[in-house]
Amino acid sequence: MSKFSFKINHKDPHSMARTAEFTTPHGVIKTPAFMPVGTAATVKAMLPSTLHEIGTQILLSNTYHLYLRPGNELVREAGGLHKFMNWDKPILTDSGGFQVFSLGPLRKITDEGVVFSSHIDGSKHLFTPEKVMKIEEDLGADVIMAFDECSQPDATHEYAEKAMTRTLHWLERCKNAHVNDTQMLFPIIQGNMYEDLRVQSAKATIPFAECGIAVGGLSVGEPKETMVKMLDALAPHYPENMPRYMMGVGSPDYILEGVERGIDMFDCVLPTRLARNGTAMTSKGKVVVRNAKYKHDFSPLDENCDCYCCRNFTKAYLRHLVNCNEILAAQLLSIHNVRFLLKFAEDIRKAIDENRFQEFKRQFYFDYYGIK
């Protein structure tokens, strides 16, 4: 695993926030970092060249979806995800655990693995830890995730403990099945919304972490206060010299709370999903572009943004595109929203390096959410 390393550059004196560099076979990732999601080997409505231009360091793709279409064997035949999707920077693949969690009645979980029905054609499939490792090896991402069970946020303590224990057993099987030393396996901390289970899971998971560890099962519908409580419980237990990845987080407030508690990496479909629904994330808060008040607004979407959309188009034009259901609306708003979160991460890194993270956080909450 000599192709992977993690170097801490600076620590915030007043919190657990830090800047660092995570080296992978396809490049160095400066953290804290936001990872755009390319579920099916593409970030929706965005060209790879545009992702490069706006500063994307790493993309995430989805094991469950790529297994179903086009199939991991075909991706392997194409030379792996990097060649298949023409992306020469780092890629992370999740394990499909969250997608299985989302299938509800379409899946059955046992200690062996998960039997599920495809959301595409209803066909039956079995995911085991060993099979997931094989799929992720075929996909060829730099960072791969262990197969886990993400229990419902309202699960009882009894079931949450059972799911956590199963995740640990699956992790051991993933570790034994993981054979490609050009891929870094991230284990996942579970434990639902119970502090004792979160700490127990962390302590049992850390020995499996070589150069990275993830926190799963948060930002799945629980109140923000509960998420913060779980992060506070975990904070003292993380390994120091490796990246910590909080899965499925893309709202600015959640990212700030995570960074403050020592998280280095985040991902979410939020920026492109909001874009397709006609909503922009701006330095002054969300803008619902289709609203009538923007009909005669010939100012940029965000005067503080350097993206192609904000340099060239007005709110009035974007509103016109959205209300006409033009594809360009989704493209331009996706460019802007993804760039917004990438720049947000850049600004966080700069604030940490300059020992003003707390000031940055307070100002952002005021500007974006109107919270003093």
Side-chain angles (χ1 to χ4, degrees):
M1 290 295 181
S2 60
K3 294 179 173 63
F4 296 87
S5 65
F6 186 72
K7 175 188 174 186
I8 299 171
N9 293 327
H10 191 76
K11 295 182 179 180
D12 174 52
H14 307 293
S15 72
M16 291 185 66
R18 61 200 191 155
T19 59
E21 295 177 3
F22 179 30
T23 300
T24 77
H26 284 88
V28 178
I29 304 156
K30 294 181 179 180
T31 65
F34 176 76
M35 301 180 285
V37 176
T39 301
T42 175
V43 178
K44 285 182 171 56
M46 295 194 69
L47 291 169
S49 58
T50 304
L51 290 165
H52 275 283
E53 289 166 10
I54 64 175
T56 305
Q57 300 186 86
I58 175 173
L59 292 181
L60 182 146
S61 282
N62 184 266
T63 290
Y64 166 84
H65 289 282
L66 292 173
Y67 161 77
L68 291 176
R69 288 186 304 197
N72 49 293
E73 295 91 350
L74 188 143
V75 175
R76 183 188 64 213
E77 183 183 342
L81 270 179
H82 289 92
K83 289 186 177 179
F84 188 54
M85 62 190 290
N86 191 29
W87 181 255
D88 60 1
K89 291 185 178 183
I91 298 174
L92 181 152
T93 47
D94 64 11
S95 68
F98 180 77
Q99 282 66 40
V100 166
F101 151 81
S102 302
L103 286 171
L106 295 177
R107 50 95 170 124
K108 180 180 179 182
I109 302 171
T110 69
D111 289 341
E112 172 61 17
V114 180
V115 176
F116 62 91
S117 299
S118 165
H119 70 285
I120 300 168
D121 60 11
S123 57
K124 294 284 187 181
H125 303 269
L126 170 66
F127 267 14
T128 65
E130 294 79 10
K131 183 169 183 176
V132 168
M133 288 298 95
K134 178 61 171 65
I135 295 168
E136 293 197 83
E137 182 182 357
D138 286 347
L139 297 177
D142 302 85
V143 177
I144 63 175
M145 306 306 297
F147 191 48
D148 64 324
E149 181 182 350
C150 178
S151 53
Q152 297 282 352
D154 59 352
T156 64
H157 188 282
E158 180 183 11
Y159 188 86
E161 184 173 18
K162 183 177 180 181
M164 179 202 71
T165 302
R166 182 179 285 137
T167 292
L168 291 170
H169 290 158
W170 285 357
L171 173 58
E172 187 170 0
R173 289 165 61 186
C174 285
K175 185 77 170 179
N176 292 335
H178 176 222
V179 296
N180 189 338
D181 64 3
T182 66
Q183 295 181 299
M184 180 57 66
L185 175 64
F186 275 29
I188 302 173
I189 297 169
Q190 287 290 352
N192 207 280
M193 308 305 157
Y194 301 99
E195 292 179 74
D196 61 325
L197 296 183
R198 282 285 172 182
V199 173
Q200 184 181 338
S201 176
K203 290 179 177 180
T205 301
I206 287 167
F208 292 89
E210 292 186 47
C211 189
I213 193 165
V215 179
L218 294 180
S219 189
V220 291
E222 79 281 3
K224 178 181 174 181
E225 296 74 22
T226 302
M227 180 205 72
V228 169
K229 188 178 179 182
M230 295 305 106
L231 290 177
D232 283 338
L234 287 171
H237 302 283
Y238 296 128
E240 179 69 6
N241 295 310
M242 63 178 65
R244 306 145 182 175
Y245 163 34
M246 186 176 172
M247 306 176 75
V249 168
S251 63
D253 56 335
Y254 278 38
I255 290 174
L256 284 169
E257 299 300 337
V259 168
E260 186 171 27
R261 291 160 177 81
I263 302 296
D264 305 295
M265 299 167 65
F266 305 86
D267 82 282
C268 198
V269 298
L270 182 67
T272 49
R273 179 173 290 168
L274 284 176
R276 294 193 303 278
N277 288 312
T279 298
M281 308 167 80
T282 79
S283 57
K284 300 300 181 183
K286 288 182 183 177
V287 171
V288 181
V289 179
R290 70 172 67 252
N291 287 355
K293 67 178 179 178
Y294 301 116
K295 183 175 182 178
H296 299 282
D297 189 335
F298 302 109
S299 65
L301 189 57
D302 187 345
E303 293 181 355
N304 296 318
C305 182
D306 58 5
C307 79
Y308 175 79
C309 175
C310 291
R311 293 198 317 269
N312 292 280
F313 303 103
T314 66
K315 295 189 190 79
Y317 180 63
L318 292 168
R319 178 182 181 273
H320 159 69
L321 295 178
V322 168
N323 287 328
C324 291
N325 293 318
E326 286 290 343
I327 294 172
L328 185 58
Q331 293 176 303
L332 292 176
L333 290 173
S334 293
I335 290 170
H336 168 77
N337 282 351
V338 174
R339 174 56 189 158
F340 174 84
L341 286 180
L342 295 175
K343 186 176 185 298
F344 182 55
E346 292 169 8
D347 292 343
I348 289 174
R349 295 197 294 268
K350 190 170 188 290
I352 294 171
D353 285 339
E354 295 175 356
N355 291 331
R356 54 178 183 83
F357 173 71
Q358 294 298 330
E359 175 190 343
F360 174 86
K361 180 187 174 188
R362 284 192 296 271
Q363 188 63 49
F364 187 88
Y365 264 96
F366 179 74
D367 291 341
Y368 196 89
Y369 298 103
I371 301 173
K372 293 185 179 180

